[in-house]
């Protein structure tokens, strides 16, 4: 670059991108700080000409930077510059180069080695309890340091809420804050610090929107989850009071509260976060009848299920493999008394004619990630099922789509649509969590769960467009798009449920197509 060296350094310092390096022979050493501003090294076709040791160290340090990325370095392993980078940085830099770059916040790659290695690490499970109390017990405010009260404006200003606050000054300040809030279309939240008789209390008002779509839940759970997660903080116990117009809204509200406190947090290691133990106490205030103890027990099981499913879906695909999801099913079966489980893997799938599940998971199976059909059954003690093809009384079968990762197969997802496809097993995760919650809540009906588990990958054995497969039902299916794998695994699951279990009701749940967003929206 010669005379452009000073301008180039300034461009790096401001995070600008520099492309197509013709030569580096006349360049002066680069300041280390330039690699910590988010700048990107793109298409360094002549890295072997970089002579300065400081440049080499800076490139190595890019792997530890707060946002630097190295993109598409196709010949990094042959580059003399790469070989002179210090070994720890070289390992992390090679990871960035292998995946094609743009791995931002690379600092976490060496802190959280379990993320890329695919090993299970309980360090990232936050010890946060969400407990639903049967009776409001917030009068002793001396023990409370953070409280969140949520509801619509008329509820937040009602006597039921105001009576929680022990002094007239606190009530007056609360009324002033709530009256100044504007709910908008998605609600609003405001946090203030109040002086109580025993010390400062952080009080948060979560104002739920009063106008919602006719197809949406009256409890506005989407707004409750989003706003509560914003004001509840990340440390310390929290008292959450949900003010309800009607006790029938408690179930949806309780699940929304639970969703605001996910179990899995992989942003940093446990050591760097410190103690994350906390307790979220949730209580309901209702204008009409109070929420019964039996209803609270059901809400507790459902809320635990929401966080359980959330953990499964949030897990990275290197961790939540087909084997791991099968293991989660086995753990749930071992936890619940009277639940039977039957796991069919590759040979079992072929023996039962599961052509859809087997075809979708065939490519990943060659790498040891075999597909599976997991069948779990719970029959109440007073209703032992009859054998054979006769229907059980009021029996229900749930079928969940469990594609642990969806690349699209040979019909590869392109244009940035692949990130987030770890959530393609959300249907099965939700069904497993619901099954667990229903059994714990002593469901009185025979209940069956079928988990259709596979990874839609690319490999020598991948199913191809124009292939014809034979499904469990005996029907033949010609493939014209391998990214339409969900209906294949579900068809086998539903067919097996109808033929082998013969329930009265079959319900399937799946992330089947993004086209649903056109009609239903994200909420």
């Amino acid at each position: 670059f010669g005379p452009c060296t000073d301008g180039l350094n300034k461009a790096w310092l401001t995070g600008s991108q520099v492309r197509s390096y013709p030569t580096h022979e006349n360049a002066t050493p680069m300041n280390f700080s330039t690699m910590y501003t988010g700048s990107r090294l793109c298409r360094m076709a002549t890295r072997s000409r970089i002579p300065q040791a400081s440049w080499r160290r800076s490139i190595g340090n890019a792997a530890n930077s707060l946002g630097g990325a190295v993109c598409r370095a196709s010949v990094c392993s042959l580059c003399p510059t790469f070989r002179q980078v210090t070994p720890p940085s070289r390992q992390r830099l090679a990871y960035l180069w292998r995946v094609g770059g743009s791995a931002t916040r690379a600092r976490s790659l060496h802190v959280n080695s379990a993320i890329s290695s695919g090993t299970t690490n309980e360090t990232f499970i936050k010890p946060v309890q969400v407990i639903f109390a049967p009776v409001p017990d917030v009068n002793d405010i001396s023990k409370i340091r953070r409280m969140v009260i949520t509801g619509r404006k008329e509820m937040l200003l009602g006597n039921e809420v105001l009576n929680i606050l022990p002094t007239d000054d606190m009530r007056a300040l609360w009324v002033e804050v709530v009256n100044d809030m504007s709910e908008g279309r998605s609600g609003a939240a405001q946090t203030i610090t109040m002086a109580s008789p025993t010390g400062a209390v952080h009080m948060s008002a979560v104002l739920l929107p009063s106008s919602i779509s006719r197809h949406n839940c009256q409890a506005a759970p989407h707004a409750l989850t989003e706003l509560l997660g914003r004001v509840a903080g990340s440390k310390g116990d929290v008292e959450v009071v949900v003010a309800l117009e009607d006790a029938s809204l408690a179930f949806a509200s309780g699940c929304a509260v639970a969703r605001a406190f996910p179990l899995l947090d992989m942003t940093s290691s446990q050591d760097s976060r410190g103690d994350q133990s906390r307790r979220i106490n949730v209580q309901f205030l209702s204008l009409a009848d109070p929420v019964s103890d039996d209803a609270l027990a059901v809400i507790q099981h459902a809320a635990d299920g929401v966080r359980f499913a959330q953990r499964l879906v949030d897990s990275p695909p290197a961790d939540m493999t087909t084997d791991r999801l099968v293991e989660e099913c086995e753990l749930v079966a071992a936890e619940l008394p009277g639940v039977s489980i039957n796991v069919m893997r590759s040979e079992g799938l072929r023996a039962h004619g599961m052509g859809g599940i087997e075809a979708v998971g065939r490519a990943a199976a060659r790498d040891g990630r075999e597909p599976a059909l997991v069948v779990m059954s719970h029959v109440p003690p007073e209703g032992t099922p009859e054998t054979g093809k006769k229907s059980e009384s009021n029996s229900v079968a749930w079928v969940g789509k469990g594609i642990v990762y969806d690349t699209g197969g040979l019909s590869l997802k392109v244009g940035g649509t692949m990130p987030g496809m770890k959530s393609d097993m959300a249907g099965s995760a939700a069904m497993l969590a619901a099954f667990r919650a229903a059994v714990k809540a002593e469901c009185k009906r025979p209940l069956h769960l079928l988990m259709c588990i596979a990874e839609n990958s690319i490999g020598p054995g991948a199913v191809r467009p124009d292939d014809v497969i034979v499904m469990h039902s005996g029907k033949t299916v010609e493939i014209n798009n391998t990214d339409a794998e969900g209906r294949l695994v579900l068809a086998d699951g539903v067919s097996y449920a109808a033929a082998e279990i013969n329930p009265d009701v079959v319900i399937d749940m799946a992330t089947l197509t993004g086209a649903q967003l056109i009609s239903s929206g994200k909420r």
Side-chain angles (χ1 to χ4, degrees), residues 298-312:
V298 173
I299 293 171
Q300 183 71 67
H301 294 315
D304 292 343
V306 167
R307 301 178 75 214
F308 172 68
Q310 195 175 29
R311 175 179 66 81
L312 298 182

Side-chain angles (χ1 to χ4, degrees), residues 1-283:
F1 336 97
C4 298
T5 300
D6 291 339
L8 180 62
N9 283 336
K10 290 179 181 178
W12 256 317
L13 283 169
T14 58
S16 301
Q17 297 187 20
V18 183
R19 299 177 184 269
S20 300
Y21 293 72
T23 178
H24 299 286
E25 294 175 351
N26 299 323
T28 58
M30 181 179 67
N31 191 311
F32 288 0
S33 64
T34 60
M35 293 306 300
Y36 289 82
T37 60
S39 56
R40 306 174 73 183
L41 292 173
C42 299
R43 299 190 182 281
M44 294 182 59
T46 56
R47 281 186 307 277
S48 59
R49 298 185 182 181
I50 304 178
Q52 289 86 358
S54 59
W55 282 68
R56 298 176 190 132
R57 287 194 298 271
S58 296
I59 294 172
N61 288 339
N64 299 327
S65 68
L66 297 179
V70 182
C71 296
R72 300 194 182 282
S74 58
V75 293
C76 62
S77 60
L78 302 178
C79 176
T81 300
F82 173 78
R83 291 199 293 269
Q84 296 183 48
V85 174
T86 58
S89 295
R90 183 191 308 155
Q91 181 180 3
R92 291 185 287 276
L93 187 60
Y95 173 79
L96 290 177
W97 276 334
R98 278 201 308 276
V99 299
S102 76
T104 59
R105 303 194 70 84
R107 178 179 55 178
S108 64
L109 289 176
H110 70 278
V111 175
N112 296 342
S113 59
I115 297 178
S116 57
S117 65
T119 58
T120 302
N121 195 331
E122 296 300 326
T123 299
F124 300 108
I125 304 298
K126 295 193 292 187
V128 179
Q129 293 180 297
V130 178
I131 306 298
F132 292 83
V135 178
D137 184 18
V138 293
N139 293 322
D140 189 6
I141 204 169
S142 62
K143 298 179 181 179
I144 299 173
R145 288 295 170 260
R146 181 180 293 275
M147 177 184 287
V148 180
I149 305 178
T150 176
R152 293 189 169 84
K153 180 168 286 189
E154 60 271 19
M155 293 300 300
L156 296 183
L157 297 176
N159 291 330
E160 293 80 4
V161 171
L162 295 179
N163 289 337
I164 295 174
L165 307 177
T167 67
D168 292 337
D169 290 341
M170 295 179 70
R171 297 187 191 102
L173 180 57
W174 176 264
V175 170
E176 180 181 352
V177 169
V178 173
N179 279 325
D180 288 341
M181 296 174 67
S182 177
E183 64 184 51
R185 296 182 61 184
S186 301
Q190 181 70 42
T191 299
I192 56 176
T193 302
M194 292 185 175
S196 73
T198 57
V201 180
H202 298 289
M203 297 286 298
S204 297
V206 171
L207 179 60
L208 300 179
S210 57
S211 59
I212 59 175
S213 165
R214 66 184 183 278
H215 301 300
N216 210 335
C217 178
Q218 293 292 326
H222 57 284
L224 177 54
T225 298
E226 181 179 346
L227 296 172
L228 181 58
R230 189 185 306 171
V231 302
S234 59
K235 295 183 178 180
D237 296 346
V238 182
E239 202 81 20
V240 179
V241 177
V242 183
L244 304 171
E245 298 96 328
D246 190 275
S248 63
L249 302 177
F251 185 87
S253 299
C255 292
V257 170
R259 191 181 174 201
F261 300 96
L263 286 168
L264 187 67
D265 180 10
M266 304 189 79
T267 55
S268 60
S269 69
Q270 184 72 26
D271 294 338
S272 63
R273 292 200 306 263
D275 183 15
Q276 292 291 299
S277 300
R278 59 192 312 210
R279 180 185 175 103
I280 313 300
N281 296 313
V282 187
Q283 295 137 355

Side-chain angles (χ1 to χ4, degrees), residues 484-496:
E485 84 295 336
R487 63 208 68 188
L488 296 179
V489 299
L490 282 177
D492 273 353
V494 170
S495 174
Y496 183 90

Side-chain angles (χ1 to χ4, degrees), residues 406-431:
D406 183 16
T407 66
L410 293 179
S411 304
L412 187 68
K413 293 181 183 289
V414 295
T417 59
M418 196 184 301
M421 285 299 105
K422 67 177 184 179
S423 64
D424 214 16
M425 43 72 70
S428 63
M431 285 299 199

Side-chain angles (χ1 to χ4, degrees), residues 319-350:
D319 186 7
M320 191 52 62
T321 61
T322 56
D323 289 343
R324 177 64 188 278
L325 189 52
V326 170
E327 181 184 345
E328 292 285 353
C329 296
E330 293 172 340
L331 291 174
V332 169
E335 175 189 2
L336 303 174
V339 170
S340 62
I341 182 170
N342 178 26
V343 179
M344 305 177 204
R345 302 309 291 262
S346 292
E347 292 299 329
L349 293 174
R350 284 190 285 270

